[in-house]
Amino acid sequence: MTEPLIGIHDLSLATAHYRLDHDALARHLGVDPAKFHVGLGQDAMSIPAADEDIVTMAATAAQPIIARHGGDRIRTVLFATESGVDQSKAAGLYVHGLLGLPTTCRVVELKQACYSATAALQFAAALIAREPAQQVLVLTGDVAKYALGSTGEPTQGAAAVAMLITAEPAILRLDTPSGLYSDDVSDFWRPNYRTEAVVDGKLSVEAYQHAIEQAWADYRYRGGRDLSEFAACCYHQPFTRMAYKAHRHLLHHAGSDAAPGTDLDSVLAAGTIYNRAVGNSYAASAYVGLASLLDHRDDLANRPIAIISYGSGSVAEFLSGVIEPGYHQHLRSAANAGAIARRRPITYAHYRELHQVEIPADGGDHKIEQESTGPYRLAALSGHRRIYESAEGRHHSSSLIQGK
Ligand code: COA
């Protein structure tokens, strides 16, 4: 029996309501803007309004996928995030409710810093290999938040990506070999009592490069392709310059250093365009890069690409796949670019205010003023419950609770 081809059948991006331009941040911090634009490779970062979070972004990303394909064959929803809104309940359950997905479905949240979406893809592929008629909805989204005035502050951002994983996919079929590396490192983490991450930035850059080099070695050992075969490489991008740093490091490690003047842009640039505008989106970042790549290159049919995933703490995976012929017809380039273009510029003062917003923890009834204009918003907190609503104004919660 031949194994089914499995991979990404549809992919859609969402981001937050506001953007803070790095020029404004540089002005406020008294830093040369070139440090951000050139040194980090960032122009702006998405900032969620007070009524947005990973649930509203992920539901917004997934909604057009369900509109196009229906949800009937979805048996599993995996939500990869490190911005969880609850210690017990999977954030995907809110999205499942908002989108009206079948009750005959498992919904689970996955966490491992910026890596977990790649684990979700692999778990999805394994489920589909068992039963090729089923589909898996992979959601990934994060709000990257660092302390005001910290070196991490210019590498914040927010976005979500939804992907429908199926047999006989229309966009990308995954290769079987992949390379793995895990190591217990304290380069970035967020204890349960903190809303912002603790980070050793310099260590994280080193740990990232070491981990992907090891994952690459494992990938090759398992029969993976040579680096020179890839038409493009999508890296996890805490800031877009990191993709260039990492690729240079890999080329060096693989003994195929880029000759002076070699144009790394040909394999990297298209996959950094959205990330440059959106900022870090932790688990979603490599897949924001994939959306950017697909939307900005029209020469990828039948060509292999690599996805290089790193999550501090740390886990890395080197994954590859081949782009399907006709992939263009299945993309959402205008909608993805529109989501980024439509963000409203925010003043530094307003950004600071939002940075300090805290969710009330007293269990009382708290209405959250409408600020965002997307299809879903966090409308209230009540009895420690999060109440989301869609643009139609309907509150979504289980009929068991509505009955109370
Ligand atoms: N013009 C052009 N480039 C400039 C510049 C200027 N005026 N000023 C600085 N730069 C360059 C630096 O040379 C450096 O480039 P290099 O990395 O190629 O050497 C880059 O900008 C960053 O400057 P640096 O001084 O190293 O920044 P920093 O110490 O303020 O912080 C991080 C950088 C990544 C450590 C910080 O943003 C951080 O902690 N981020 C969060 C964690 C993270 O993203 N980790 C990544 C791996 S997961």
Side-chain angles (χ1 to χ4, degrees):
M1 199 176 82
T2 54
E3 282 183 28
L5 299 173
I6 298 170
I8 301 173
H9 191 55
D10 198 354
L11 176 147
S12 159
L13 169 82
T15 186
H17 183 65
Y18 293 117
R19 66 159 218 270
L20 179 69
D21 293 324
H22 276 78
D23 284 336
L25 185 63
R27 246 191 332 272
H28 176 83
L29 297 175
V31 170
D32 179 355
K35 174 174 177 182
F36 298 156
H37 296 305
V38 182
L40 296 178
Q42 289 306 134
D43 294 337
M45 52 202 196
S46 293
I47 307 290
D51 60 348
E52 289 181 302
D53 62 14
I54 53 161
V55 170
T56 63
M57 288 192 298
T60 303
Q63 189 261 340
I65 291 183
I66 305 306
R68 184 185 283 176
H69 306 278
D72 298 359
R73 289 167 63 191
I74 294 175
R75 295 275 294 159
T76 303
V77 177
L78 300 173
F79 197 150
T81 183
E82 56 179 301
S83 317
V85 295
D86 195 286
Q87 290 287 343
S88 295
K89 179 171 172 173
L93 281 161
Y94 294 111
V95 179
H96 174 272
L98 287 165
L99 298 178
L101 292 175
T103 52
T104 48
C105 186
R106 61 172 78 79
V107 182
V108 182
E109 188 165 312
L110 303 175
K111 177 181 70 188
Q112 183 8 65
C114 306
Y115 163 72
S116 58
T118 302
L121 268 193
Q122 293 287 24
F123 298 165
L127 285 166
I128 294 161
R130 268 171 77 97
E131 198 189 323
Q134 68 172 270
Q135 302 182 330
V136 178
L137 180 64
V138 168
L139 307 169
T140 177
D142 270 307
V143 177
K145 193 172 174 190
Y146 295 95
L148 294 170
S150 68
T151 55
E153 187 182 8
T155 66
Q156 297 176 111
V161 172
M163 293 178 273
L164 189 66
I165 312 303
T166 67
E168 308 301 333
I171 296 177
L172 172 81
R173 55 181 188 270
L174 294 169
D175 289 339
T176 301
S178 87
L180 297 170
Y181 180 74
S182 286
D183 190 18
D184 180 0
V185 188
S186 293
D187 57 335
F188 169 111
W189 67 105
R190 182 165 70 81
N192 285 344
Y193 48 82
R194 286 179 62 103
T195 55
E196 290 150 12
V198 188
V199 61
D200 181 337
K202 301 285 180 201
L203 175 64
S204 72
V205 171
E206 268 175 47
Y208 178 130
Q209 293 179 99
H210 177 71
I212 62 159
E213 153 204 318
Q214 296 297 313
W216 157 252
D218 186 46
Y219 172 78
R220 287 293 282 160
Y221 175 74
R222 281 159 206 286
R225 302 168 191 272
D226 189 73
L227 269 188
S228 59
E229 286 182 52
F230 295 114
C233 294
C234 285
Y235 283 85
H236 164 53
Q237 295 168 58
F239 49 95
T240 64
R241 248 16 229 175
M242 189 68 223
Y244 286 78
K245 233 185 235 287
H247 197 61
R248 237 178 255 118
H249 181 85
L250 259 197
L251 286 172
H252 176 70
H253 181 75
S256 48
D257 281 86
T262 299
D263 183 17
L264 296 187
D265 280 344
S266 61
V267 281
L268 299 177
T272 64
I273 294 167
Y274 289 162
N275 306 66
R276 194 173 243 284
V278 157
N280 197 356
S281 53
Y282 293 161
S285 161
Y287 298 91
V288 172
L290 178 60
S292 182
L293 170 69
L294 294 165
D295 288 351
H296 294 96
R297 288 265 303 262
D298 57 9
D299 60 340
L300 295 173
N302 288 316
R303 297 178 72 189
I305 65 150
I307 299 171
I308 301 112
S309 187
Y310 173 76
S312 291
S314 70
V315 179
E317 181 159 352
F318 194 106
L319 180 70
S320 61
V322 177
I323 303 290
E324 286 294 319
Y327 69 102
H328 289 115
Q329 293 144 35
H330 304 275
L331 299 180
R332 302 173 177 280
S333 311
N336 292 342
I340 294 171
R342 112 168 51 91
R343 292 168 307 163
R344 305 212 173 140
I346 193 173
T347 61
Y348 184 81
H350 190 180
Y351 151 71
R352 242 188 122 91
E353 227 173 80
L354 282 174
H355 200 281
Q356 280 152 351
V357 164
E358 276 179 24
I359 290 277
D362 59 8
D365 291 328
H366 301 278
K367 191 171 174 309
I368 297 174
E369 287 309 317
Q370 175 142 19
E371 201 174 348
S372 62
T373 50
Y376 305 102
R377 57 181 295 272
L378 177 63
L381 293 156
S382 175
H384 294 294
R385 289 187 190 88
R386 296 172 88 85
I387 315 287
Y388 292 93
E389 68 182 21
S390 71
E392 293 92 57
R394 241 174 340 125
H395 285 252
H396 292 263
S397 55
S398 154
S399 52
L400 293 175
I401 292 172
Q402 280 163 358
K404 273 190 181 175

